Amino acid sequence: MLTAVVGINWGDEGKGRIVDLLSEEQDIVVRYQGGNNAGHTVINDKGEFILNLLPSGILRENVVCVMGNGMAIDLKHLHYEIQRLREKGIHVGPDNLKISDRAMVTMPYHVDLDCYEEERLGKNSYGSTRRGIAPVYSDKYAKKGIRTGDLLHETYLQKILPDILAYKNLMIEKAYHKPGASLEDMLDYLHTYGAEFQEYICDTGEYLTAAHRAGKRIMFEAQLGALRDIDFGIYPFTSSSNTIAAYAPIGAGVPGLKLDTVVGIMKAYSTCVGAGPFTVEMDGDEAEALRSAGGEYGAATGRPRRVGAFDVVASKYGITVQGSDKLALTKLDVLSYMKKIPVCVAYSYNGAKIHSFPVGEVLEKATPVLEYLDGWCEDISMCRTFSDLPENAKKYIEFIEEKIGQKMWLISVGAKRDAYFMR
Ligand code: GDP
Ligand code: MG
C-alpha cells in the first residue's frame, strides 16, 4: 500500500502533523524531495518537534524512515537534527533511518552561494531560506553534484572533487568575489560526515521494493506544496524540486510503483513564505490578527508568514496537480475569532473573472474576488465529529467542498495528535 501525503497550497499546510497522525498505520515513511528548508512541526505525547530533513515518521517506534534520492541533504544539519531528537529520547539509528546513496549532498558552498545570490538580488530576492537548495539542485542538473553514496568511497571523491571545486570556485571567486572553497576542507567535511552516516547510506530503492513486495505500508511525505513545485508552481518563486505526488515514487527510488492513495493537505486559510505572487494576501491589522491566531511564523526560519483568505482557484489547481483522492483540512480552529470569513472564489484580471490558476504576468496582476461567510465565534478545538461543529463552521466546510468539487476526508481542529475528526 503506497500513500502520499502532500500539500495542496504553498506549504505549511500541516503535512508533518498529518503524517505523524497517519503513520500509526504505516511501516515506512519516506521523504522524497527537498532539503532542510522544510519545517514540519509535530506536537504529540513525546513533545514538540520541528523536523527539517527527517521524515515525520521518525517519532514512531514502529516506523522505518527513508530519505530518498530526490532529496538534497545537508549532513551537518542532519547531524544536529538527530542530536536534538536524541536529547528528547527519540531513537535514531541505521535500523530506523535509511539514507539513499543517490541523494544529493548539500555542501557548505551551496549554502554560501544561496546567500551570495540573495544578497546580489537585494530587493528582488526570491526570499530563499538560504539553505543552499537552489544551488545544490542546479548542480544536480549540471552534473556537478556529489551524492551520498560517493562518501563511502574516498578515492572516488578525491578523483571527482577537484574538478567540481574548480568549477564552483570560478563562480564564487570571479562572480561573487568571495573566498573559494578549499579542496582539503571539503574532503575533510565529507570524510567526517561520510564516517558518521556510512551505516545509514544504502540503496533505498532496493529496500523499498523489497518492503513493498513483502506487503509493507509505505507513506511518502512531501515538503512544501503544489504551488512550490518547480514545474507546476509559481515559478520562479518555487522550490527547486518537484513537490507533487507524481514525483514521490521517483524521489523515493521506486519509479516503477504506482501510488494507491494521495492525501492532499490544505489549510482553512492561506499562507505563503517568501516572495512571489500571493493573490489573496491580507495586510495591516487583518493580516496581523490571522497571523497571530494561526501562529504563522516559519518553522525552519522563524519568518512571519504572509497570510490570506482560503483560495478556491489555487486550491482547485493544487488538488488537480496533486491528483489527491483524499483531502484533509487543517487549522479550522484558527478561524474561530473571525466574525466574517473571506473566501476567494475567483480571480479578476483586466475586468474578467478567472477560475483557472494563471501563470506569470496574469498571476502577478490578478486580484481576488471575495465572498464573506458568517463566522462561528466559538472554540471548536474540542469538536471530535462533524456534527459537534457549530452550524456556521459546517457551512464554511460545505461551502469550500462545493467550490472545489470534492468532500473533505479529515478535518483538523488543533495541533495535537488527537485534535481531528473524519468527515
Ligand atoms: P508543514 O510544513 O506542512 O508540516 O506545516 P508546518 O508545521 O510548517 O505548519 C503547520 C503548523 O500548524 C504547525 O505549527 C502545526 O503544529 C500547526 N497545526 C497543524 N494542524 C493544526 C490545526 O488543525 N490547528 C492548529 N491550531 N494548528 C495546527
Ligand atoms: Mg512547514
Side-chain angles (χ1 to χ4, degrees), residues 18-73:
I18 299 292
V19 169
D20 175 64
L21 175 68
L22 301 180
S23 56
E24 183 170 22
E25 308 274 304
Q26 299 296 324
D27 301 301
I28 299 169
V29 177
V30 190
R31 268 278 306 270
Y32 60 88
Q33 46 76 223
N36 54 315
N37 52 335
H40 297 177
T41 305
V42 176
I43 304 171
N44 59 29
D45 50 356
K46 295 185 179 130
E48 178 164 349
F49 304 90
I50 295 177
L51 300 163
N52 303 127
L53 282 163
L54 291 164
S56 300
I58 200 74
L59 305 171
R60 296 257 185 203
E61 273 144 36
N62 57 312
V63 165
V64 174
C65 284
V66 171
M67 298 171 67
N69 54 277
M71 287 190 76
I73 304 176

Side-chain angles (χ1 to χ4, degrees), residues 138-373:
S138 307
D139 277 354
K140 172 177 178 171
Y141 289 97
K143 296 170 287 182
K144 303 287 185 193
I146 297 159
R147 307 210 285 183
T148 39
D150 301 339
L151 271 55
L152 307 180
H153 304 281
E154 197 101 19
T155 46
Y156 182 73
L157 270 182
Q158 279 165 359
K159 189 173 85 184
I160 64 167
L161 204 55
D163 279 344
I164 290 178
L165 272 191
Y167 168 79
K168 296 313 295 179
N169 283 340
L170 273 178
M171 184 77 128
I172 297 169
E173 291 168 352
K174 306 275 194 276
Y176 292 109
H177 307 290
K178 303 280 186 185
S182 93
L183 180 61
E184 201 189 339
D185 287 353
M186 292 303 107
L187 279 173
D188 204 38
Y189 179 89
L190 292 171
H191 176 77
T192 302
Y193 292 107
E196 178 170 343
F197 289 110
Q198 60 178 335
E199 286 174 52
Y200 298 73
I201 298 169
C202 60
D203 183 341
T204 54
E206 191 175 77
Y207 172 76
L208 290 173
T209 304
H212 180 64
R213 284 206 185 113
K216 301 278 186 208
R217 298 157 300 179
I218 304 172
M219 177 165 275
F220 302 96
E221 175 179 7
Q223 175 222 1
L224 298 166
L227 301 170
R228 300 291 187 190
D229 182 272
I230 183 84
D231 284 85
F232 299 100
I234 53 170
Y235 189 87
F237 300 99
T238 55
S239 200
S240 299
S241 61
N242 286 104
T243 60
I244 53 166
Y247 187 75
I250 300 173
V254 285
L257 300 183
K258 301 231 169 357
L259 296 172
D260 296 293
T261 300
V262 177
V263 182
I265 317 295
M266 54 191 194
K267 191 138 70 174
Y269 53 94
S270 301
T271 64
C272 171
V273 180
F278 184 41
T279 314
V280 291
E281 184 161 21
M282 293 173 178
D283 55 20
D285 293 346
E286 192 189 18
E288 199 39 57
L290 182 51
R291 185 176 301 118
S292 82
E296 297 298 349
Y297 298 89
T301 57
R303 289 186 290 180
R305 293 174 182 152
R306 300 158 75 194
V307 296
F310 183 86
D311 185 332
V312 171
V313 182
S315 299
K316 266 181 96 164
Y317 174 74
I319 292 167
T320 306
V321 164
Q322 294 289 17
S324 351
D325 53 332
K326 288 182 177 162
L327 291 177
L329 187 72
T330 58
K331 304 193 88 161
L332 186 66
D333 55 302
V334 171
L335 300 180
S336 298
Y337 77 94
M338 283 190 184
K339 291 197 179 71
K340 289 276 176 193
I341 309 177
V343 177
C344 171
V345 293
Y347 292 171
S348 171
Y349 176 73
N350 270 350
K353 266 194 192 174
I354 313 178
H355 294 279
S356 307
F357 192 70
V359 294
E361 172 74 4
V362 180
L363 182 60
E364 292 256 346
K365 298 273 162 65
T367 54
V369 177
L370 298 174
E371 280 187 31
Y372 287 83
L373 277 73

Side-chain angles (χ1 to χ4, degrees), residues 93-115:
D95 55 325
N96 71 338
L97 178 65
K98 319 261 172 220
I99 302 174
S100 167
D101 54 5
R102 290 175 167 84
M104 300 308 300
V105 178
T106 307
M107 296 291 288
Y109 53 76
H110 290 128
V111 179
D112 292 341
L113 280 164
D114 205 355
C115 297

Side-chain angles (χ1 to χ4, degrees), residues 67-129:
M67 298 171 67
N69 54 277
M71 287 190 76
I73 304 176
D74 180 328
L75 294 162
K76 188 174 175 188
H77 190 99
L78 182 61
H79 167 89
Y80 286 108
E81 195 172 324
I82 291 173
Q83 295 274 96
R84 283 205 311 267
L85 288 188
R86 286 183 180 149
E87 279 160 19
K88 290 189 181 175
I90 306 293
H91 167 72
V92 184
D95 55 325
N96 71 338
L97 178 65
K98 319 261 172 220
I99 302 174
S100 167
D101 54 5
R102 290 175 167 84
M104 300 308 300
V105 178
T106 307
M107 296 291 288
Y109 53 76
H110 290 128
V111 179
D112 292 341
L113 280 164
D114 205 355
C115 297
Y116 301 156
E117 181 56 11
E118 288 285 287
E119 277 163 28
R120 189 190 70 80
L121 286 165
K123 68 175 177 36
N124 295 326
S125 77
Y126 293 116
S128 161
T129 51

